[in-house]
Amino acid sequence: QVQLVESGGGVVQPGRSLRLSCAASGFTFSRSGMHWVRQAPGKGLEWVAVIWYDGGIKHYADSVKGRFAISRDNSKNTLSLQMNSLRAEDTAVYYCARDASGSFRYLDSWGQGALVTVSS
Amino acid sequence: DIQMTQSPSSLSASVGDRITITCQASQDISNFLNWYQQKPGKAPNLLIYVASNLETGVPSRFSGSGSGTHFTFTISSLQPEDIATYYCQQYDSLPITFGQGTRLEIK
C-alpha cells in the first residue's frame, strides 16, 4: 500500500534553514506529482508547493516563494523541501502528499506529517 | 488566487442526521473540486474527487455535487466516526487553495 513518511522536522531559530524529506513506497513514485501542504497549530490546510512527476515543473505558494525549494529524487523515491529564512509564521505540521496525476489534481495519499517549530 | 469559502464553519448534529456543507469558489472552477476529511491529530483523507466521485473505500453515505462556483458535500446519515473537520479544495489553477474548513461535532 501507499506509504509516505516525513522526516526532518524540529525546532529551528528564525532565519535559519531546515530540510524535510518524504520517503515514498508502495507505488510508482516517478509517475506521481507530489505536494507539500502545511497546517499551522489550530488552523486550516495551506498548500505549499507541487513538483511534477519528472521534477521538470515546480510551483510555490506566494508565502514561501523564494525561500522554500521542492525537489525529488526518483531514483530514491524521495521528496524534499528545503526551507530557508524561516519565520515564526512557518511553524506548522508539514505533510507530503501524492497527487493522483503527474501534476496536480487531487491528493489521494498523505504522510503523517512533520512538525516544524520556528522559535528563538 | 481562487478563494474557497465554506459554510458553515462549524456544525453540530445528531447521529443519523443528514448534513450538508457548502463550498463557494470565487470564480468558475468547473468541477475541479475535491473534499477531504481530517480527524483530530491525523492527516487529511480524500473523500470526494472531481466534485462527485467517491474515493475507493469511502462509505456511500458521503457524496458531493456541484459545478461552476457552488458545491455541496453531504453525509446522508451521520455516524459517530464522522467527527472531523472537512475541507474543500480547488485545482482549477495554481495555487491550489482550500476552504477554511467545517468542524463537525455530534450533539
Side-chain angles (χ1 to χ4, degrees):
Chain A
Q1 74 280 20
V2 174
Q3 192 166 16
L4 299 169
V5 180
E6 299 95 339
S7 61
V11 180
V12 60
Q13 293 179 328
R16 303 297 291 266
S17 300
L18 200 64
R19 186 177 183 89
L20 299 181
S21 295
C22 173
S25 61
F27 66 103
T28 305
F29 182 71
S30 61
R31 292 182 183 175
S32 293
M34 295 295 297
H35 302 258
W36 288 99
V37 176
R38 69 184 181 182
Q39 186 169 37
K43 301 298 184 182
L45 301 172
E46 179 189 14
W47 176 80
V48 173
V50 63
I51 185 168
W52 260 229
Y53 69 101
D54 60 356
I57 296 176
K58 307 170 187 180
H59 287 276
Y60 300 91
D62 284 347
S63 58
V64 307
K65 200 172 295 183
R67 300 187 300 122
F68 288 13
I70 189 172
S71 62
R72 64 190 298 159
D73 185 338
N74 284 348
S75 69
K76 296 181 179 179
N77 290 352
T78 301
L79 175 73
S80 297
L81 184 69
Q82 177 66 40
M83 303 183 292
N84 300 328
S85 302
L86 282 161
R87 306 166 180 167
E89 54 264 37
D90 295 319
T91 294
V93 174
Y94 285 74
Y95 296 101
C96 69
R98 182 184 79 161
D99 201 284
S101 74
S103 57
F104 68 99
R105 289 191 69 196
Y106 48 90
L107 287 64
D108 64 356
S109 294
W110 298 63
Q112 84 288 352
L115 177 62
V116 173
T117 302
V118 184
S119 174
S120 54
Chain B
D1 298 1
I2 297 175
Q3 306 302 316
M4 305 301 294
T5 304
Q6 277 183 244
S7 62
S9 56
S10 64
L11 178 59
S12 182
S14 300
V15 173
D17 283 354
R18 179 183 183 89
I19 71 102
T20 298
I21 298 169
T22 65
C23 184
Q24 187 92 15
S26 60
Q27 65 188 66
D28 189 337
I29 60 169
S30 185
N31 60 348
F32 300 147
L33 191 284
N34 308 312
W35 291 94
Y36 300 85
Q37 176 192 64
Q38 185 178 32
K39 295 184 177 181
K42 301 294 187 182
N45 183 47
L46 177 69
L47 298 181
I48 303 287
Y49 61 95
V50 198
S52 60
N53 295 274
L54 197 66
E55 174 71 339
T56 302
V58 173
S60 59
R61 64 180 180 274
F62 296 101
S63 64
S65 64
S67 66
T69 62
H70 187 78
F71 301 85
T72 59
F73 171 82
T74 299
I75 305 176
S76 60
S77 178
L78 187 65
Q79 300 301 304
E81 60 266 32
D82 299 337
I83 298 310
T85 300
Y86 293 84
Y87 296 92
C88 61
Q89 171 244 318
Q90 68 79 23
Y91 64 99
D92 176 73
S93 63
L94 291 171
I96 284 171
T97 46
F98 291 88
Q100 79 277 18
T102 295
R103 185 173 180 177
L104 180 57
E105 299 174 339
I106 297 284
K107 280 182 184 175

